[in-house]
Amino acid sequence: MASDEIKNFGILGFPIGHSLSPKMHIAAFQAAGYPNYNYIAVPVQTGRLMLAVDGLKGLGFRGANVTIPHKTAIMKFVDAVDSDAMIIGAVNTLVNDGGMITGYNTDVTGFLKSLADANFMPEDCNAVILGAGGAARAILWGLCKRRAGYITIGVRNPKKARVLADDFSVYGNIEVMDWKADEFQEILKAADILINTTPLGMYPDIDAMPPVDLKLLPEGALVYDIVYNPAKTKLLQTAEKLGYPTLNGLNMLLLQGEEAFRLFTGELPDLEVMKKVVEVELGFKI
């Protein structure tokens, strides 16, 4: 529904200049008939997060997105937290309803929609996640939410990653392994999907990739890298040469933004408009 009402939105993080969210959301607002909806990047240093949330209320911001390093810390400063965000332990979207700010996590929605778009059904699948950092939490919850059969987290340091597995053990069958161990190689042989949540291969370190032998995967296994710059990481290039279907992080980026837009406005945005902005900013076609 078109409107000439003025509403303000933003994204909180530090550093924040690299974010695609401002241009992506402004283009979507304009396409939806909201020319007076503003969206700005707001640099917020650690230790000033509570002041920032109070500022959103005081200035009447309708909503905001949240990025590194504040996704977890911000939870204690909002008035309510959505169930998905509470389980994941991270918030990436804030909605202000009359001075009450609720935190959401749209990453899990973006992840699950991206799987659906790729015609991959995670129910009862054998999934392998590479990495156990913040990005892995939404992926892990999405798989648990859709009742994946068995989830293995492959990492460099299993001791640290077991904390993550313990957090989600009540929701699914989850194991942690050293990604160089022989038992992990056996797990790869039965995997239906391999998901990289590490930054290995992300620009500018485009020659890096997780130390896994993709040739061990069964025929037809989906190789998913949530990195979106470059569009084809070394991991995905290697998987394609071996004949595996692949998926990068661009669709997840767009779909989590779509869900944030819906929370902000009650409507779905024109995803093609958002996609074109991302293509221009990254300098390649999606």
Side-chain angles (χ1 to χ4, degrees):
M1 183 183 295
S3 172
D4 59 2
E5 184 181 5
I6 296 175
K7 287 188 179 180
N8 294 315
F9 303 83
I11 180 165
L12 314 180
F14 195 86
I16 197 61
H18 65 284
S19 176
L20 299 175
S21 293
K23 290 183 178 179
M24 193 167 71
H25 279 282
I26 287 171
F29 287 146
Q30 291 177 345
Y34 299 116
N36 294 323
Y37 280 24
N38 307 302
Y39 190 112
I40 61 172
V42 184
V44 179
Q45 295 185 19
T46 302
R48 305 187 70 83
L49 200 50
M50 183 174 69
L51 293 174
V53 175
D54 286 342
L56 294 177
K57 293 181 179 182
L59 294 171
F61 270 58
R62 166 60 179 156
N65 290 116
V66 184
T67 189
I68 296 171
H70 303 314
K71 288 186 176 184
T72 297
I74 202 165
M75 294 177 69
K76 60 179 175 285
F77 300 123
V78 299
D79 301 297
V81 177
D82 174 71
S83 59
D84 278 345
M86 184 67 73
I87 292 170
I88 294 166
V91 160
N92 76 339
T93 302
L94 306 176
V95 177
N96 182 5
D97 287 307
M100 180 174 176
I101 292 185
T102 301
Y104 298 87
N105 190 301
T106 67
D107 286 333
V108 63
T109 302
F111 169 65
L112 291 174
K113 282 189 175 182
S114 70
L115 289 184
D117 285 354
N119 295 314
F120 183 89
M121 300 296 108
E123 287 79 6
D124 297 320
C125 76
N126 290 325
V128 174
I129 298 175
L130 303 178
R137 299 186 70 88
I139 304 299
L140 184 54
W141 172 232
L143 292 171
C144 289
K145 196 173 182 180
R146 288 293 181 269
R147 295 181 173 84
Y150 194 84
I151 304 168
T152 304
I153 303 172
V155 289
R156 183 182 293 110
N157 188 334
K159 186 175 181 180
K160 288 184 179 179
R162 285 198 179 93
V163 175
L164 173 63
D166 289 344
D167 286 347
F168 287 86
S169 61
V170 68
Y171 303 113
N173 298 311
I174 304 165
E175 182 60 272
V176 176
M177 295 183 185
D178 184 327
W179 57 21
K180 292 185 178 180
D182 290 342
E183 59 180 343
F184 183 73
Q185 313 313 310
E186 292 301 313
I187 290 293
L188 289 176
K189 294 177 182 178
D192 298 302
I193 183 171
L194 173 75
I195 308 164
N196 177 42
T197 71
T198 78
L200 293 171
M202 182 186 295
Y203 181 85
D205 298 319
I206 60 174
D207 291 327
M209 68 174 278
V212 293
D213 186 356
L214 296 179
K215 295 191 294 294
L216 294 175
L217 294 172
E219 182 180 357
L222 177 62
V223 180
Y224 188 171
D225 196 330
I226 69 167
V227 170
Y228 59 81
N229 188 13
K232 289 187 180 180
T233 59
K234 186 176 180 180
L235 179 74
L236 295 187
Q237 292 178 43
T238 303
E240 283 188 352
K241 289 177 182 177
L242 293 170
Y244 296 106
T246 63
L247 188 63
N248 67 20
L250 282 165
N251 208 30
M252 180 175 168
L253 170 71
L254 290 168
L255 291 169
Q256 67 80 26
E258 177 188 60
E259 177 63 8
F261 187 99
R262 186 191 69 79
L263 291 169
F264 291 154
T265 67
E267 306 171 22
L268 289 175
D270 186 331
L271 206 58
E272 282 300 310
V273 168
M274 300 175 85
K275 178 180 174 181
K276 287 177 182 177
V277 168
V278 172
E279 288 178 340
V280 168
E281 292 302 306
L282 295 179
F284 53 75
K285 289 282 187 180
I286 298 173

